[in-house]
Every structure is written in structure tokens, then in C-alpha cells.
DNA sequence: ATAATGAAAAATTTATAAATTATTCATTAT
DNA sequence: ATAATGAATAATTTATAAATTTTTCATTAT
């Protein structure tokens, strides 16, 4: 198998492929979109796609990675450094979930893509990286909150992980769709209320016996 | 279609069917177990099963309902009324999750059953009832905690819902299996640490602007 | 060199027939 | 009456062939 292209121009082409694939996946679904369709939309032959992606799944992974990058960018953009740590923790989670919910509303077919992702090793790696980045961000925020006495937790990293686990349900497209998209925002709000109360509280994340 | 049997003896037969079906489903999986197998295990004809259950799915629903009943019984049995509300909240969640994890370890095939459940209206009703019962129990515990000044939340029902949503991830068999059963217990513990800290904290579940 | 093609091979999906399984029901037994 | 059967029918699954799609690669173009 030939090694993938790595030049400037190749990166541009790769981007275009991901853009076109995103359109087709959201419109027709992952399985109903074939390599030929993507190639056609990109004005190239099917074979040429393999100079940029190892296979069809890899395109799916790139589409999802791009979605995660958008969520991250949206969070970076919207993050208001002047706000208290709690507001920013809430924003980080809420923005990501709302982004996903919006996506699910206007393109329910992406559930299929997210299921493919779960089934592949590399797909899980893509998700894993995003989760990791998110945890790092949360940990930073919790540390800040602890530093300025807004939060009161012993182990900032554990508390951040707790926030992440306590909202993990809201990051699973399949679960959201089943729960009912309309209930998501309210349920996330009460959950964040309690988690944030925990971050502020005195005895949170004390070592257990 | 004939109406289902409703006598004493019929209930006994129904129980036996559910018991045998549970064995077969956990051993061979829901799809690989056929009505004939269940009937054979019960020493009756396939046709006769339909006097006790509307169809195969209904047997699956009953198996899951029974599992939930076991979890509930286990919780009732293990619940120590002398303990503080927090310990009991933790126990309610932890016992249920551990029950599920144990089940998943010794019978990974039940994931298939839980997926069938999600796909059927009646299956979701079975889950919904269990979730409802659980919420009621949590709400009662939170109220008790509030009453004896152990917890400090405005809206006990909202706080209970937050505990439920914040641990919902840990109740989804598919999600648990993917997350890795070995990580579940530790991750649930930190999550409960933070949620319980929230229950104890001063400003939890205040009305938002 | 890098980019792209199009035809060939491999893998997957769809269509269809055959076989199995789920479900109903007329009949028999208790 | 209630319980159960087993044969008949309906629905589903499996097996197989045909068609499509994915992937590779030798070749051409820039």
C-alpha cells in the first residue's frame, strides 16, 4: 500500500475531501455514501482518494475529528475568561452538548457515523483524544477555581474526571437521540447544578476510607 | 389472538418460562435462542408458550423486568436504614451498577438483549418503570437527607434527578462494556463523590436566572 | 518527484430462493 | 373451563448467486 501524501497541496485536497464527505454523510448517511460519490463531489477518481485516506472508514474518522475540532474551536471562541470558573466549566460542557444536539437535529443520520466510530479501533482513538483534551481543559478550570477559592476540592484532576463522567451520557449521540433531544438541555442543566455545587462544596473529593 | 392466561398456576408457569429463557439468553444470546429451545427447556410445545407470552420479545421484556426486580430486591435487602442519607444514595446507585457489571462479566451476551429492549416500545416502558422507581427512591433519600440537615438542596426532586442523570452512563450496558468494565467502579466512585458533595453543599440546585 | 486515472481484484452488499423460526389455531386432553 | 398439542401459515433468517462497492495498482500526466 502506498504511503499517504503529506504536502501542503495534499492537505488542502484532504480538507476538501472531508468537507464533501461531511455533506454526503449528513445527507445520505455513512453507509449510503460510497467512495465514488465522494470522489465525484471532489472531481476526482475513486482511486485517487486512496492517496489521501487509507480507506472509507478513515474518511469517517476525519469527518468526526473535524467535528470535534469545530466543537473545540466553538468553545475556545465562546469562552469568556472574565467569568468565574464555574460558569466556564458549565460552558465547556453545555456548548459541546448543544453543538451535538444541534447536529443531531439537522442531521439525524450522523448517529450512524458515530456508531461506526465506536466499532473501530482508530475511531475510538479519535474519540479518546477528544475526551482527553476535554479532561485537560476541565482540569485546568477546576484548578483555577480551586486557586481563587471558588471551588473546594482536594483532587482537581479527580473532580474534573467526575464532571466528565457525570456528563458523559450527554455526549453519546445514540443515548441523546433515545433520551429525546428536547429533554436534553433541561436534564443537563440540573446535572451541572449538582456537579458544580459539588465543586464549590467543602468536603468534595476527600479521600475515602 | 387469544388472551393471556391469568391464573395462579399460569403465573407459576410464566415464572418457569422466564427462568429457562434467562438461562438460554445468557448462554446463547437472545437471537440464537429460539422459541422451540425455550419450550423444550420448559417441557412444553412452542405453541403453548403463546398462552403465556404475546411473543418472543415479550419473553425478553419479562427477563429484563425480572433482572430489574432482582436489582431492586438486592437494594432493599442491602439498604441499611441506620446509615446516613449519603451512604444510602451511594449504595442505591453502586449496588445497581455493580449488579449490572457482574451480570455483564459472567454473561456478555445480555448486551444483545438490552439492545433489543431499546428498540421496542414496550421494552422502553419496562426500563422507564425501573428508572421511575429508582428516581422515586432517590427522591425519598434526598428528602430524608434534607430533613436531617445532612443535605442542603432547594429542590429535592431536581437533585435526585441530577444524581440519576449524572450516573445514567453507568446504567447503559453497551456503554459500560465499551468503557471497559474494569474502569467502571473507580469512575463511578469519583462521580458519586462529586454528586454527593453537591447534595451536601450550600448552594446546590438554587433556581437559576 | 507528485497527482491522477481507469481498469482489475478483493471485499461487501443486495436480490433471491431455500430453510428455519415465530406465530396462529383447530383439535385433544385434563 | 384451562392446559396443551402439533400441524399450518406467516415472518424471518440463512445460503447462494449477482451486482455493487471498495481497494489496489500499473500506467499516464504534470
Amino acid at each position: 500500500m502506498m504511503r499517504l501524501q503529506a504536502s501542503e497541496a495534499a492537505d488542502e485536497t484532504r480538507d476538501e475531501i472531508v468537507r464533501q464527505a461531511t455533506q454526503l454523510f449528513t445527507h445520505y448517511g455513512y453507509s449510503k455514501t460510497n467512495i465514488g460519490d465522494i470522489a465525484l463531489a471532489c472531481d476526482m477518481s475513486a482511486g485517487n482518494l486512496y492517496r489521501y485516506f487509507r480507506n472509507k472508514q478513515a474518511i469517517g474518522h476525519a469527518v468526526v475529528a473535524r467535528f470535534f475540532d469545530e466543537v473545540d474551536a466553538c468553545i475556545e471562541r465562546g469562552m469568556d475568561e472574565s467569568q468565574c470558573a464555574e460558569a466556564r466549566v458549565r460552558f465547556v460542557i453545555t456548548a459541546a452538548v448543544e453543538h451535538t444536539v444541534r447536529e443531531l437535529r439537522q442531521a439525524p443520520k450522523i448517529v450512524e457515523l458515530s456508531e461506526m466510530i465506536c466499532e473501530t479501533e482508530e475511531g475510538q482513538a479519535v474519540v479518546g483524544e477528544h475526551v482527553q483534551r476535554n479532561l485537560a481543559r476541565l482540569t485546568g478550570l477546576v484548578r483555577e477555581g480551586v486557586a481563587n477559592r471558588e471551588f473546594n476540592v482536594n483532587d482537581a484532576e479527580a473532580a474534573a474526571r467526575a464532571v466528565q463522567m457525570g456528563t458523559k451520557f450527554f455526549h453519546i449521540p445514540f443515548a441523546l437521540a433515545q433520551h429525546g433531544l428536547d429533554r436534553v438541555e433541561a436534564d443537563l442543566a440540573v446535572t451541572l447544578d449538582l456537579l458544580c455545587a459539588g465543586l464549590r462544596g467543602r468536603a468534595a473529593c476527600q479521600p475515602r476510607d
Side-chain angles (χ1 to χ4, degrees), chain A:
Chain A
M1 183 209 285
M2 187 212 253
R3 197 160 77 266
L4 299 180
Q5 292 314 108
S7 65
E8 292 271 302
D11 285 342
E12 185 42 56
T13 305
R14 224 185 306 275
D15 267 15
E16 171 66 1
I17 293 168
V18 173
R19 271 192 297 272
Q20 297 293 346
T22 302
Q23 290 300 321
L24 292 164
F25 288 165
T26 59
H27 208 82
Y28 303 108
Y30 174 76
S31 63
K32 289 281 167 59
T33 300
N34 45 250
I35 292 287
D37 296 333
I38 301 172
L40 188 67
C42 297
D43 272 315
M44 59 170 72
S45 66
N48 199 38
L49 278 181
Y50 289 84
R51 289 172 35 83
Y52 300 95
F53 289 98
R54 193 158 48 267
N55 51 33
K56 186 182 172 183
Q57 282 187 348
I59 299 178
H61 298 150
V63 167
V64 171
R66 186 192 187 75
F67 173 79
F68 287 149
D69 285 347
E70 274 171 28
V71 172
D72 283 343
C74 168
I75 286 171
E76 299 297 347
R77 215 181 316 120
M79 179 88 84
D80 181 352
E81 299 293 338
S82 72
Q83 286 200 297
C84 62
E86 173 175 343
R88 282 179 287 157
V89 166
R90 296 184 75 108
F91 174 76
V92 164
I93 305 287
T94 308
V97 172
E98 280 176 357
H99 213 273
T100 304
V101 168
R102 216 174 303 131
E103 199 71 19
L104 280 170
R105 272 198 229 274
Q106 57 177 63
K109 308 241 183 201
I110 64 161
V111 173
E112 189 197 357
L113 183 57
S114 87
E115 274 163 3
M116 180 278 279
I117 292 292
C118 291
E119 286 163 9
T120 66
E121 197 126 337
E122 198 187 319
Q124 291 184 322
V126 171
V127 175
E129 271 175 51
H130 180 246
V131 167
Q132 210 43 50
R133 265 203 307 281
N134 216 256
L135 181 60
R137 197 177 359 234
L138 283 174
T139 305
L141 288 174
V142 172
R143 289 224 174 89
E144 278 190 57
V146 170
N148 62 225
R149 308 272 174 206
E150 190 185 335
F151 294 154
N152 192 340
V153 294
N154 272 342
D155 185 341
E157 142 80 49
R161 193 152 54 95
V163 171
Q164 193 169 53
M165 293 305 301
T167 56
K168 203 168 181 67
F169 171 83
F170 297 99
H171 292 276
I172 306 173
F174 166 79
L176 291 183
Q178 178 145 311
H179 187 68
L181 294 182
D182 293 342
R183 296 168 54 197
V184 169
E185 250 126 330
D187 282 336
L188 175 59
V190 293
T191 308
L192 279 175
D193 284 345
L194 194 60
L195 290 168
C196 288
L199 290 175
R200 291 187 311 258
R202 282 270 154 66
C205 294
Q206 299 283 358
R208 272 190 314 294
D209 47 1

